[in-house]
Amino acid sequence: MEWASQLCENRGLGSKMTDSKYFTTTKKGEIFELKAELNSDKKEKKKEAVKKVIASMTVGKDVSALFPDVVNCMQTDNLELKKLVYLYLMNYAKSQPDMAIMAVNTFVKDCEDLNPLIRALAVRTMGCIRVDKITEYLCEPLRKCLKDEDPYVRKTAAVCVAKLHDINAQLVEDQGFLDTLKDLISDSNPMVVANAVAALSEIAESHPNSNLLDLNPQTINKLLTALNECTEWGQIFILDCLASYLPRDDRESQSICERVTPRLSHANSAVVLSAVKVLMKFMEMLPKDLDYYGTLLKKLAPPLVTLLSAEPELQYVALRNINLIVQKRPEILKHEMKVFFVKYNDPIYVKLEKLDIMIRLASQANIAQVLAELKEYATEVDVDFVRKAVRAIGRCAIKVEQSAERCVSTLLDLIQTKVNYVVQEAIVVIKDIFRKYPNKYESVIATLCENLDSLDEPEARAAMIWIVGEYAERIDNADELLESFLEGFHDESTQVQLQLLTAIVKLFLKKPTETQELVQQVLSLATQDSDNPDLRDRGYIYWRLLSTDPVAAKEVVLAEKPLISEETDLIEPTLLEELICHIGTLASVYHKPPSAFVEGSRGVQHKRLPPRTGSGESTETPDVGQSGPSEAPPAVIPSQGDLLGDLLNLDLAPPTATVPSVQPSMQMGAMDLLGGGLDSLLGGDIGGSPSMGAGLGAAPAAMPASLGSAPAVGGGLGDLFDLGGGVGMPTGSYVAPKTVWLLAMKAKGLEISGTFARRGGIIQMDLSLTNKAMSVMTDFAIQFNRNSFGLAPAGPLQVLTPLSPNQTIDVSLPLSTSGPVMKMEPLNNLQVAVKNNIDVFYFSCQYPLSLLFVEDGKMDRQVFLATWKDIPNDNEAQFQIKDIHLNSDVASNKLQGSNIFTIAKRTVEGQDMLYQSVKLTNGIWVLAEMRIQTGNPNYTLSIKCRAPEVCPFVYQCYELVLKN
Amino acid sequence: MIGGLFIYNHKGEVLISRVYRDDIGRNAVDAFRVNVIHARQQVRSPVTNIARTSFFHVKRSNIWLAAVTKQNVNAAMVFEFLYKMCDVMTAYFGKISEENIKNNFVLIYELLDEILDFGYPQNSETGALKTFITQQGIKGQHQTKEEQSQITSQVTGQIGWRREGIKYRRNELFLDVLESVNLLMSPQGQVLSAHVSGRVVMKSYLSGMPECKFGMNDKIVIDKQGKGGTTDEPGKSELGGSGKQSIAIDDCTFHQCVRLSKFDSERSISFIPPDGEYELMRYRTTKDIILPFRVIPLVREVGRTKLEVKVVIKSNFKPSLLAQKIEVRIPTPLNTSGVQVICMKGKAKYKASENAIVWKIKRMAGMKESQISAEIELLPTNDKKKWARPPISMKFQVPFAPSGLKVRYLKVFESKLNYSDHDVIKWVRYIGRSGIYETRC
């Protein structure tokens, strides 16, 4: 061995052809030899030895024992050797922190070197050595390098700040490096700017609340200028950073879009995708009637199509993103169906993604072509691809009604091929077609039945059993068919067992005479011999239904089925919005929010699309968009609602087949919050309701559409949110607009917005229930937690018809005040639970106290005087109501609409004094004195009450009523 | 950002391993080997998530390159970077093979240290890298201060793809317009879909920092000039064959040297080119494509055991031009038992293993036609399913651009050196190739 390596060295010292030999030395005592060589006097020998060390390190051998010897080689003027030693240091410094200190001097010295390449190398490497003692020494050289005259050193130093921040964030802040980094955004060199942006973005991610990036029109302008000049990678950093900016108004948004669109012609696909991200996001803010909006839409299609001629891996990334874009804005690519046709030699991952997009783009206009393609695909070799193609044919049938017949006949052709997995897949989709178009294609049942024996997958078996049960009256031997499945009942999967149970009950209800024995058999199999609780429960329910009330059983079991939706596998809208903000990144590839696959604080921050502004129909001013909470990061602590929902869901959710997938975004931690939250809901101590305000405050940003349709409230919106968490004030004419109480994202697609009103002495809770999920929602019910004034629903929640996807129902729920009482914090807090067929959801909201002001609240003058004196002065509270431009009479009338009664009015020295009384539902009297000075828009309000804690809430009501 | 980068051989042995981030441990190297390279089933995605760690991989011959991360990185960027890294390695030592990688591992580590910093891609243009990553070791010491700052300003500068001080005795440039034309035609001769995807590849051997301006017969530009009042139609004399004045380009992308904002606003293509060969632009067209060949199929089923096939191909371009390497592939049914072929030109053979008659013609001039007829004997089968009649496909190469694209000019300005646009020797070549060129029968 010695010979061999000697030979190699002699043949060509340091020449390229011999480097591979370093990978082959595997003898014992190697370390000793290396040690000797490292300490050799000959430079070349040293270098060779270091190379061997690096090679061993690469293949995973532990060469940390050579640490001092390698570090000794650091002091060299040979750049190549120096780099090798640095590489070694980066790997092992952490395991030998004390020894690593030996290297510090060289680093510090190198940072002063005349050669900028050496200075940069030193600062770059130093940042990679994660040893506390070294980082201390790093600060001074880094500070110098950040202001180095050479741009190469500055761009390296900029990244080094991010490295240092990763090791010791506090140190970076204390040393003021963040400010220096911010200054670099204005650097004259575009690459320095790009790296500074990258470093700042990364640091900002781990401080979601810091205003580190501080993007404003000036910095944005600098970034856009650098965008034209820096490397392709720099352009990506800048575009990704731009995407997190929220333009002030639609004009700014448009001007940024105009300057970003040239990037769509870049050869680098990542630049193109990041530009698409910025455009997709900012487009949200442009009014749809704007010409530029249409132009922009048209500009987006060609580059997206061009991405499909990139290398396959990039095509894959592009296709996953196009899948999102097509869901968000189908109009962009609706004419480009053909480019998604699968090519023979596409890799399988590209084929599968293209197929997905084809289905999404299928429409009446192109269905013939699509079907012809899909039929081709169904004869390919890859099993997954063929299955997906078959499934796609079924989805086309459901999506485009005109094509249903052709699809069914295509599927029948495929069933004739007798290819096992094709047949099974076809049967599964035909079941869906039957559901979508009942009583139309049943003639094919005979063909399906021929293939019963070949079905070995649970899904296909379950589908076939469903078909037999559903059409039992038309299939002569339905009982025989089902009986044949029954033989191996216990070996079937749950899915098949449940389906079989239901199918046989259906059969029995349709043909009771011949099948009594069969139904007995299945019921006893399900209830007595099974240990699956779902199956047992369903069995018992059927059993009792059948034995007590066969007519009712028929109504239940043979009830008309809700329609199935046309689009399947759609991403939930709130998640889709978030993913659009992550175009080009891993999140968009996985179709999951970053929090689902990123550890720690990074990426937990949810991104949202900006609210739409401008356009005629919207009353939201750009101001609202800006002052709205969308810019502030939403609460990192989840509001108690969804936590409870997640936790309780285990016990309360009935087993259904249509539960949409739980969004991973709910998996956030903070379990200790649960204690308090649960207690207060379940009637224990008065727990705080943490982060409720934040949760509500964030709502309007996510749901710009629902706000847009609300009555005009203009700039007042902001105030409203601050005050009552979005709760308005009922007066004779005025009811606050509905605000979102429960986000769809947190409630598996159910969105609830609402408000409170008092109409003719009846308290009402006006709710809008919106189904943003893919499946139909039914079985709504509502319940309140105990609250301060005993509010409780006076009747059931009247949602009679099932709520189909994208439908909204408005309900008014009458409330009584006879419920159980428990003091809440804040006083007017109301915790609500809403149940539907999917789950139970919790949210809390705050009602205006004026809800409880009764109609007979006008106190007698004498009593008023006596009571006023009777209440101790300590109970008096004073408030200022600002900016009211009403005279006392108008104000008095307005207040009367909300059952705040003026008993007397006095005028003293140009001041109007109004004396008013209010009675709450629980009999508490509130007395008030309001002073109005002519010409002064600020009123002074003094409130006296035996229960002083209500005073601030009464004041809130005054303010709300007077200001609206 | 990218947390680490690994290169493996086909057995899954690590050849290069460079970790940039603390969150990537040594076990990541093994995780990828076990779950992807050694996976029992073929991996079905270029992105794999293993225990909250994401792996991006590309393969070059039997070498695996994998980038690892634990963050929500820009996925498109990671792949672009991996491709770029392959380009850089190829430019330094040729083919990416296990042997070459082992022989150059020190160089690769040096490159990786330079082009990725803390997982952020830095300048990765070989032109720039080669000025200071040389593997000559000691060069750093002998450089003058000017040389050093020239390097750093180039690496970080606006023109990172070109170094200063390039000198050629003869200033020369070559432009290749390479197109692939794709067609799907119905048996009746109706075009179902057709598009051209083209590339303009440039080899530049120019001194100094030349400012170039590239002009082609882009419809938008020509129309604009027409409106501008220029009465004489530009380039009318150059445009032979097709007689088309201008073409509509659906979309194009450019090398990073092209000033995109200028293209966006004025649609002019101006740039300072890299030295040597590079791809200036890619484009796509779908309108007014010159289809170099038309295939007219005629298939007649004579009873149940015989097929008569006649295929005529017509060349549709100037008679003075020659198409080359023409190949027509006529699919035959699976139950073919024998084939007799007669063709007027070239050679035709029935290839049983490929279920097709392959007809090859070396050269064919424009405006000609040629014919093949074949009798196909079939074995009687019980198969009820009809023969699906796959399309007839064609391959060829022609010396013009089927999109109709013409290079109108490529002007070179170098103000500092004393050579002018006229002194530059320019070569333009057009090559049109068949992409997927099919006619249903």
Side-chain angles (χ1 to χ4, degrees):
Chain A
M1 286 307 274
E2 185 66 58
W3 264 102
S5 84
Q6 281 276 292
L7 262 175
C8 287
E9 277 173 40
N10 290 339
R11 240 191 290 150
L13 269 176
S15 93
K16 285 180 183 174
M17 290 316 290
T18 55
D19 275 4
S20 62
K21 70 170 183 280
Y22 304 115
F23 284 89
T24 54
T25 47
T26 51
K27 50 196 167 183
K28 280 187 180 173
E30 188 191 1
I31 297 278
F32 281 107
E33 272 174 38
L34 283 172
K35 216 177 175 82
E37 286 174 37
L38 285 169
N39 291 312
S40 155
D41 297 333
K42 289 180 192 151
K43 273 188 182 174
E44 278 307 327
K45 194 144 199 177
K46 258 190 188 180
K47 195 165 128 188
E48 293 303 297
V50 176
K51 280 190 184 180
K52 282 184 203 163
V53 171
I54 301 290
S56 310
M57 192 176 86
T58 298
V59 295
K61 277 184 219 157
D62 183 13
V63 283
S64 57
L66 296 165
F67 199 88
D69 308 283
V70 177
V71 172
N72 271 336
C73 302
M74 195 170 160
Q75 284 280 11
T76 171
D77 49 3
N78 183 319
L79 199 54
E80 193 192 351
L81 180 56
K82 190 176 273 246
K83 284 184 180 174
L84 287 173
V85 175
Y86 280 179
L87 189 61
Y88 178 90
L89 262 176
M90 287 187 262
N91 259 318
Y92 288 112
K94 225 175 156 185
S95 58
Q96 312 254 346
D98 295 327
M99 303 281 252
I101 294 295
M102 290 162 57
V104 165
N105 265 334
T106 319
F107 280 125
V108 175
K109 214 176 100 202
D110 279 358
C111 284
E112 308 271 341
D113 198 283
L114 282 177
N115 186 341
L117 292 171
I118 305 245
R119 292 203 293 277
L121 177 65
V123 79
R124 185 165 69 210
T125 311
M126 231 172 147
C128 294
I129 297 177
R130 305 176 62 91
V131 174
D132 279 343
K133 283 177 195 158
I134 289 207
T135 40
E136 284 167 32
Y137 290 101
L138 175 60
C139 292
E140 278 323 300
L142 178 58
R143 198 185 315 283
K144 270 187 207 155
C145 288
L146 280 167
K147 302 209 160 125
D148 199 286
E149 51 167 24
D150 194 295
Y152 183 79
V153 180
R154 290 202 300 278
K155 72 108 183 162
T156 311
V159 176
C160 190
V161 176
K163 291 178 188 170
L164 189 57
H165 187 270
D166 193 40
I167 306 169
N168 190 341
Q170 197 57 44
L171 186 68
V172 170
E173 275 173 50
D174 296 346
Q175 295 278 334
F177 286 139
L178 294 181
D179 293 324
T180 323
L181 201 54
K182 276 192 213 169
D183 293 343
L184 287 183
I185 290 191
S186 314
D187 199 282
S188 58
N189 183 293
M191 194 161 178
V192 177
V193 177
N195 276 4
V197 166
L200 275 173
S201 305
E202 174 166 346
I203 296 171
E205 236 177 81
S206 48
H207 294 280
N209 292 317
S210 72
N211 201 12
L212 201 57
L213 264 168
D214 186 30
L215 294 174
N216 54 48
Q218 286 77 41
T219 46
I220 290 294
N221 199 31
K222 280 175 198 155
L223 294 184
L224 286 167
T225 311
L227 186 62
N228 287 325
E229 295 166 349
C230 60
T231 65
E232 45 194 329
W233 314 117
Q235 296 185 18
I236 299 169
F237 308 153
I238 292 181
L239 287 168
D240 284 351
C241 173
L242 270 180
S244 62
Y245 176 64
L246 190 76
R248 309 216 150 159
D249 51 36
D250 49 333
R251 244 186 269 149
E252 192 189 3
S253 176
Q254 176 175 347
S255 83
I256 295 176
C257 286
E258 279 165 358
R259 291 176 72 178
V260 166
T261 35
R263 299 298 120 197
L264 294 174
S265 316
H266 203 288
N268 186 315
S269 310
V271 175
V272 176
L273 269 178
S274 290
V276 168
K277 165 166 58 191
V278 174
L279 296 175
M280 283 291 286
K281 217 180 149 188
F282 289 8
M283 211 151 86
E284 275 307 292
M285 291 185 69
L286 299 178
K288 281 195 170 172
D289 44 6
L290 194 73
D291 286 347
Y292 181 70
Y293 179 83
T295 318
L296 198 53
L297 274 183
K298 271 191 214 125
K299 277 196 175 172
L300 276 171
L304 287 173
V305 172
T306 300
L307 288 177
L308 297 183
S309 45
E311 289 84 346
E313 292 87 2
L314 268 174
Q315 277 189 53
Y316 174 72
V317 174
L319 285 164
R320 293 292 283 173
N321 279 287
I322 289 173
N323 198 328
L324 299 173
I325 292 167
V326 164
Q327 288 182 59
K328 179 75 192 158
R329 297 194 179 278
E331 63 271 31
I332 294 178
L333 287 167
K334 67 177 174 207
H335 298 304
E336 305 288 350
M337 168 64 89
K338 277 187 196 165
V339 299
F340 297 103
F341 285 176
V342 169
K343 288 190 194 131
Y344 178 74
N345 44 7
D346 280 337
I348 182 66
Y349 51 81
V350 168
K351 285 185 178 172
L352 292 172
E353 293 305 318
K354 279 187 173 173
L355 200 49
D356 251 346
I357 295 167
M358 278 174 68
I359 302 165
R360 295 213 193 286
L361 290 178
S363 68
Q364 205 184 331
N366 57 26
I367 195 74
Q369 266 181 316
V370 174
L371 269 182
E373 284 292 311
L374 291 176
K375 205 173 167 183
E376 287 287 313
Y377 304 162
T379 58
E380 285 232 19
V381 278
D382 189 285
V383 178
D384 283 350
F385 181 59
V386 170
R387 279 172 179 275
K388 201 161 182 173
V390 175
R391 211 162 265 231
I393 296 174
R395 277 166 69 182
C396 285
I398 290 165
K399 202 174 164 188
V400 185
E401 187 164 359
Q402 292 79 358
S403 74
E405 195 157 342
R406 284 234 288 292
C407 294
V408 171
S409 78
T410 308
L411 287 170
L412 283 180
D413 284 352
L414 290 172
I415 289 177
Q416 300 296 357
T417 63
K418 304 275 177 197
V419 179
N420 183 284
Y421 53 85
V422 174
V423 174
Q424 309 211 37
E425 208 62 48
I427 286 182
V428 172
V429 290
I430 285 182
K431 181 201 79 173
D432 286 342
I433 297 177
F434 281 172
R435 279 201 61 179
K436 170 84 183 181
Y437 309 109
N439 305 318
K440 226 169 156 188
Y441 300 110
E442 283 72 15
S443 53
V444 307
I445 290 176
T447 322
L448 302 185
C449 289
E450 286 166 20
N451 293 287
L452 259 182
D453 301 332
S454 64
L455 308 179
D456 52 11
E457 289 160 21
E459 204 184 350
R461 285 173 84 83
M464 192 64 220
I465 291 168
W466 183 88
I467 293 172
V468 175
E470 189 65 21
Y471 298 102
E473 68 273 29
R474 307 190 198 189
I475 305 171
D476 293 337
N477 59 345
D479 48 343
E480 282 169 37
L481 292 175
L482 292 177
E483 197 169 3
S484 69
F485 281 105
L486 211 51
E487 281 159 20
F489 189 77
H490 288 298
D491 302 326
E492 299 282 3
S493 73
T494 312
Q495 190 185 11
V496 179
Q497 290 175 333
L498 287 168
Q499 205 53 261
L500 195 52
L501 173 60
T502 307
I504 291 178
V505 172
K506 281 183 191 164
L507 173 70
F508 171 71
L509 289 168
K510 287 173 179 175
K511 300 180 182 172
T513 45
E514 310 121 66
T515 55
Q516 202 149 9
E517 205 173 309
L518 195 61
V519 85
Q520 292 271 337
Q521 202 183 339
V522 76
L523 285 175
S524 80
L525 278 171
T527 53
Q528 283 155 26
D529 302 339
S530 168
D531 45 13
N532 180 333
D534 287 351
L535 185 64
R536 246 183 4 225
D537 284 356
R538 196 186 283 195
Y540 279 125
I541 289 170
Y542 283 145
W543 202 323
R544 275 175 211 151
L545 261 175
L546 290 174
S547 55
T548 51
D549 190 351
V551 182
K554 210 163 185 164
E555 268 172 35
V556 170
V557 179
L558 302 181
E560 207 167 296
K561 276 158 285 297
L563 284 181
I564 57 174
S565 75
E566 294 179 3
E567 297 278 356
T568 41
D569 309 343
L570 278 182
I571 294 174
E572 209 233 325
T574 36
L575 177 63
L576 181 62
E577 294 214 341
E578 190 179 352
L579 292 180
I580 289 286
C581 301
H582 289 292
I583 282 177
T585 68
L586 263 180
S588 73
V589 174
Y590 293 147
H591 289 185
K592 283 178 187 162
S595 51
F597 59 92
V598 174
E599 279 164 6
S601 61
R602 281 193 181 123
V604 173
Q605 202 177 350
H606 288 278
K607 295 201 175 177
R608 295 204 171 109
L609 289 177
R612 185 170 287 285
T613 55
S615 84
E617 82 274 19
S618 169
T619 50
E620 246 186 287
T621 59
D623 268 343
V624 176
Q626 229 241 330
S627 68
S630 51
E631 201 170 16
V636 179
I637 307 163
S639 60
Q640 73 192 73
D642 60 3
L643 271 175
L644 285 169
D646 258 8
L647 203 87
L648 298 182
N649 143 17
L650 289 173
D651 312 321
L652 298 177
T656 50
T658 51
V659 178
S661 61
V662 179
Q663 293 315 321
S665 60
M666 291 189 186
Q667 298 166 350
M668 295 179 282
M671 294 304 279
D672 51 334
L673 261 176
L674 270 176
L678 260 176
D679 279 344
S680 66
L681 231 130
L682 301 179
D685 270 351
I686 303 169
S689 67
S691 77
M692 211 47 237
L696 277 170
M703 296 299 152
S706 65
L707 255 185
S709 62
V713 278
L717 263 180
D719 298 348
L720 268 173
F721 291 136
D722 290 341
L723 275 175
V727 177
M729 171 79 180
T731 64
S733 55
Y734 175 71
V735 175
K738 285 177 182 167
T739 47
V740 179
W741 283 338
L742 182 66
L743 284 175
M745 193 175 65
K746 292 180 175 170
K748 301 181 180 171
L750 174 65
E751 185 188 285
I752 299 180
S753 54
T755 184
F756 293 94
R758 188 178 178 98
R759 298 188 182 95
I762 295 165
I763 306 172
Q764 282 176 326
M765 187 183 196
D766 294 343
L767 294 166
S768 287
L769 309 175
T770 307
N771 181 353
K772 298 208 165 182
M774 297 308 119
S775 54
V776 172
M777 295 178 178
T778 54
D779 310 334
F780 284 94
I782 193 165
Q783 226 168 16
F784 293 173
N785 194 11
R786 293 196 235 177
N787 54 70
S788 314
F789 294 94
L791 281 175
L797 189 61
Q798 300 281 336
V799 184
L800 298 176
T801 46
L803 191 56
S804 39
N806 284 323
Q807 194 192 349
T808 300
I809 291 186
D810 290 327
V811 204
S812 269
L813 180 71
L815 305 183
S816 72
T817 50
S818 51
V821 176
M822 181 180 75
K823 195 172 161 190
M824 297 297 292
E825 187 58 47
L827 204 64
N828 59 344
N829 198 18
L830 181 65
Q831 295 176 329
V832 183
V834 169
K835 177 188 107 52
N836 64 10
N837 59 331
I838 293 166
D839 208 340
V840 183
F841 309 104
Y842 303 86
F843 61 90
S844 48
C845 52
Q846 294 173 7
Y847 49 89
L849 213 62
S850 56
L851 209 57
L852 309 163
F853 297 176
V854 295
E855 275 68 20
D856 60 344
K858 189 159 185 172
M859 211 176 224
D860 182 75
R861 278 182 188 222
Q862 297 306 319
V863 182
F864 184 92
L865 262 171
T867 319
W868 185 269
K869 283 182 189 155
D870 209 1
I871 300 174
N873 280 343
D874 290 349
N875 281 12
E876 184 175 342
Q878 273 215 356
F879 303 92
Q880 286 276 323
I881 308 173
K882 288 180 179 156
D883 280 332
I884 308 290
H885 301 275
L886 305 169
N887 68 34
S888 58
D889 288 334
V890 178
S892 162
N893 273 337
K894 257 194 144 174
L895 290 169
Q896 180 131 12
S898 296
N899 297 341
I900 301 174
F901 297 95
T902 306
I903 300 160
K905 178 180 159 185
R906 267 200 319 169
T907 310
V908 185
E909 297 160 357
Q911 255 191 24
D912 284 344
M913 318 273 274
L914 297 181
Y915 295 94
Q916 298 167 320
S917 72
V918 165
K919 188 184 170 191
L920 301 184
T921 43
N922 55 357
I924 294 179
W925 283 93
V926 181
L927 282 59
E929 176 200 75
M930 189 159 70
R931 262 175 293 174
I932 305 171
Q933 214 160 8
T934 28
N936 184 353
N938 298 344
Y939 297 0
T940 310
L941 181 71
S942 305
I943 301 178
K944 263 191 165 184
C945 178
R946 286 188 202 278
E949 51 272 67
V950 305
C951 295
F953 298 97
V954 173
Y955 156 67
Q956 275 183 10
C957 297
Y958 266 85
E959 184 151 280
L960 275 173
V961 173
L962 290 173
K963 285 193 172 168
N964 290 298
Chain B
M1 282 308 115
I2 297 173
L5 219 143
F6 309 130
I7 302 180
Y8 302 84
N9 65 9
H10 66 286
K11 285 185 248 168
E13 291 164 354
V14 203
L15 304 178
I16 297 287
S17 135
R18 175 74 161 93
V19 173
Y20 294 92
R21 296 263 174 165
D22 204 37
D23 54 5
I24 304 298
R26 181 80 202 175
N27 52 356
V29 183
D30 303 324
F32 183 75
R33 178 190 11 247
V34 173
N35 290 289
V36 180
I37 303 181
H38 292 170
R40 231 173 267 156
Q41 287 163 333
Q42 185 202 352
V43 179
R44 316 213 84 182
S45 158
V47 186
T48 323
N49 192 312
I50 307 162
R52 291 206 151 207
T53 309
S54 299
F55 295 82
F56 300 76
H57 74 266
V58 300
K59 255 187 112 174
R60 287 290 179 269
S61 59
N62 54 9
I63 297 294
W64 298 75
L65 286 96
V68 201
T69 184
K70 283 207 161 190
Q71 297 172 29
N72 182 30
V73 297
N74 187 319
M77 184 187 79
V78 176
F79 280 123
E80 284 283 4
F81 177 79
L82 287 174
Y83 302 143
K84 193 68 176 205
M85 207 182 116
C86 293
D87 291 348
V88 170
M89 289 197 290
T90 314
Y92 265 95
F93 52 74
K95 192 171 173 272
I96 295 175
S97 65
E98 180 170 354
E99 199 192 351
N100 277 345
I101 287 172
K102 281 185 169 174
N103 280 334
N104 292 285
F105 83 98
V106 175
L107 167 74
I108 295 174
Y109 277 123
E110 201 177 340
L111 285 171
L112 281 177
D113 196 41
E114 185 58 44
I115 59 180
L116 264 188
D117 190 3
F118 202 39
Y120 290 105
Q122 304 292 306
N123 193 332
S124 43
E125 288 298 313
T126 27
L129 290 171
K130 279 190 170 170
T131 58
F132 67 107
I133 295 186
T134 54
Q135 281 293 287
Q136 238 99 90
I138 346 182
K139 200 180 170 188
Q141 275 66 46
H142 301 312
Q143 287 163 337
T144 62
K145 207 169 172 217
E146 288 76 58
E147 278 171 338
Q148 286 164 3
S149 73
Q150 204 187 325
I151 291 171
T152 57
S153 76
Q154 193 209 330
V155 174
T156 60
Q158 294 183 23
I159 310 156
W161 53 88
R162 188 181 180 93
R163 66 190 168 88
E164 298 215 28
I166 297 172
K167 279 209 181 73
Y168 287 101
R169 189 174 297 168
R170 210 159 93 121
N171 288 300
E172 205 171 9
L173 65 85
F174 300 84
L175 272 180
D176 281 350
V177 177
L178 308 171
E179 297 197 336
S180 84
V181 53
N182 300 277
L183 170 76
L184 184 63
M185 190 177 256
S186 79
Q188 293 76 33
Q190 188 193 359
V191 176
L192 297 174
S193 76
H195 76 271
V196 167
S197 56
R199 305 188 298 145
V200 178
V201 174
M202 183 169 173
K203 279 187 211 118
S204 73
Y205 305 104
L206 302 169
S207 311
M209 295 298 256
E211 176 71 46
C212 298
K213 210 172 164 191
F214 174 69
M216 53 187 180
N217 56 339
D218 178 1
K219 194 166 191 297
I220 298 177
V221 177
I222 305 273
D223 288 357
K224 224 195 269 171
Q225 284 176 348
K227 274 177 207 155
T230 33
T231 41
D232 47 39
E233 286 155 70
K236 188 174 183 180
S237 53
E238 315 166 27
L239 294 171
S242 65
K244 263 196 301 169
Q245 300 291 317
S246 58
I247 61 162
I249 293 174
D250 286 24
D251 186 39
C252 43
T253 59
F254 296 99
H255 185 267
Q256 63 164 323
C257 66
V258 176
R259 295 184 187 91
L260 295 179
S261 41
K262 211 153 180 192
F263 177 74
D264 194 59
S265 57
E266 303 162 26
R267 224 171 155 89
S268 76
I269 302 164
S270 60
F271 53 97
I272 294 170
D275 193 40
E277 183 172 340
Y278 73 102
E279 191 179 283
L280 176 65
M281 72 177 281
R282 280 180 187 222
Y283 56 92
R284 204 157 40 80
T285 73
T286 47
K287 290 199 187 69
D288 302 324
I289 291 164
I290 309 159
L291 298 169
F293 285 95
R294 168 121 197 251
V295 177
I296 305 154
L298 198 76
V299 181
R300 209 160 63 94
E301 289 176 39
V302 186
R304 295 195 57 187
T305 57
K306 202 169 151 192
L307 274 180
E308 278 181 12
V309 179
K310 200 171 101 179
V311 176
V312 179
I313 58 168
K314 281 185 178 168
S315 58
N316 175 36
F317 44 88
K318 274 202 297 189
S320 57
L321 299 175
L322 275 181
Q324 288 180 302
K325 298 176 188 167
I326 302 146
E327 184 186 303
V328 181
R329 182 172 286 261
I330 304 161
T332 55
L334 296 172
N335 55 339
T336 302
S337 61
V339 178
Q340 273 99 47
V341 211
I342 310 158
C343 58
M344 290 152 55
K345 228 179 157 220
K347 281 178 187 162
K349 240 188 208 163
Y350 167 62
K351 294 197 173 168
S353 58
E354 296 166 37
N355 289 313
I357 300 166
V358 179
W359 177 25
K360 286 182 178 172
I361 305 170
K362 277 189 185 144
R363 266 180 289 281
M364 188 169 172
M367 305 317 271
K368 289 263 163 49
E369 77 173 63
S370 191
Q371 187 183 326
I372 185 171
S373 41
E375 272 187 26
I376 301 170
E377 306 276 346
L378 302 175
L379 290 172
T381 56
N382 301 327
D383 201 354
K384 276 180 237 157
K385 216 182 147 196
K386 270 173 69 183
W387 178 48
R389 287 201 185 181
I392 296 172
S393 61
M394 222 188 143
K395 285 182 190 163
F396 55 81
Q397 185 180 318
V398 289
F400 60 90
S403 68
L405 182 132
K406 292 277 173 193
V407 176
R408 289 171 59 224
Y409 54 81
L410 199 147
K411 293 178 193 151
V412 181
F413 309 95
E414 166 59 74
S415 48
K416 285 182 193 150
L417 300 176
N418 55 348
Y419 72 94
S420 73
D421 185 40
H422 299 292
D423 304 329
V424 181
I425 306 161
K426 301 168 190 170
W427 305 87
V428 183
R429 179 164 67 154
Y430 299 91
I431 299 173
R433 289 198 185 94
S434 52
I436 296 167
Y437 202 85
E438 293 178 336
T439 307
R440 290 190 177 150
C441 57

